[in-house]
Amino acid sequence: MLTVPPLRKPVLPGAWRAAAEAPTRWSCVLRLRQDGHEIRVRAERCAAGRLRATYPVGAHDVEVRILDDCPQHLLTQLLRTLTLSLWAADPSCRRTVYAAPAGDLDRIGAAEDAGFRHVVDVDLGQDELGLLVAEPEWVTGGDADHDRVPGT
């Protein structure tokens, strides 16, 4: 059985202001504000959440779920900033996961612009999602070409 560590609340730099709501041991809802926009985001350990059986989760993996409408021009910035903040709060975090509705090319594109890559599509029963992941450089070893077999 996988031991899931508590989720540490990320501290967002720059123009984003954040307040935590409804924290649990493995998740929290962040109410983020910037430029007149307010967006709620749920950060949750994947091993304790809805994605636990969808891929080989790591104990420190975190899903970032946007709960409110997020203007397209802010989504990339939000995902990038939040991911870096989660990694700073937990240096053992190997993966930040963003689950976009399958086929939603705008959200998938925004996540890819934030440094995420599409890994797999999953069916959660009521939702079909495309899982995108961002991994710190210490995990990828600086090799961003994930579609190439090493040594070829």
Side-chain angles (χ1 to χ4, degrees):
M1 181 167 194
L2 190 63
T3 301
V4 183
L7 179 70
R8 295 184 188 132
K9 178 187 164 207
V11 176
L12 277 72
W16 290 100
R17 289 178 299 152
E21 301 176 345
T24 70
R25 180 174 170 83
W26 298 296
S27 69
C28 71
V29 173
L30 300 168
R31 184 174 298 278
L32 306 173
R33 294 178 183 92
Q34 179 182 0
D35 297 335
H37 296 282
E38 183 171 289
I39 303 160
R40 288 176 311 128
V41 176
R42 180 179 181 86
E44 181 174 47
R45 291 282 186 207
C46 294
R50 67 181 183 157
L51 301 180
R52 68 182 157 271
T54 60
Y55 74 97
V57 300
H60 292 265
D61 294 359
V62 177
E63 178 189 8
V64 172
R65 190 179 343 170
I66 311 297
L67 300 176
D68 297 318
D69 287 335
C70 182
Q72 198 65 31
H73 71 280
L74 286 180
L75 184 56
T76 296
Q77 178 190 7
L78 173 64
L79 289 172
R80 183 180 299 123
T81 301
L82 191 53
T83 295
L84 294 174
S85 298
L86 286 164
W87 293 345
D90 180 4
S92 297
C93 181
R94 297 180 58 86
R95 234 176 256 112
T96 302
V97 180
Y98 175 66
D104 188 331
L105 299 181
D106 289 337
R107 290 188 195 182
I108 291 169
E112 289 174 340
D113 289 345
F116 285 72
R117 64 184 172 87
H118 182 268
V119 176
V120 68
D121 289 331
V122 298
D123 186 342
L124 296 182
Q126 296 178 349
D127 298 313
E128 290 185 32
L129 304 170
L131 299 187
L132 295 101
V133 300
E135 297 164 312
E137 191 171 322
W138 65 266
V139 172
T140 62
D143 183 6
D145 190 2
H146 300 286
D147 295 327
R148 179 183 54 80
V149 176
T152 62

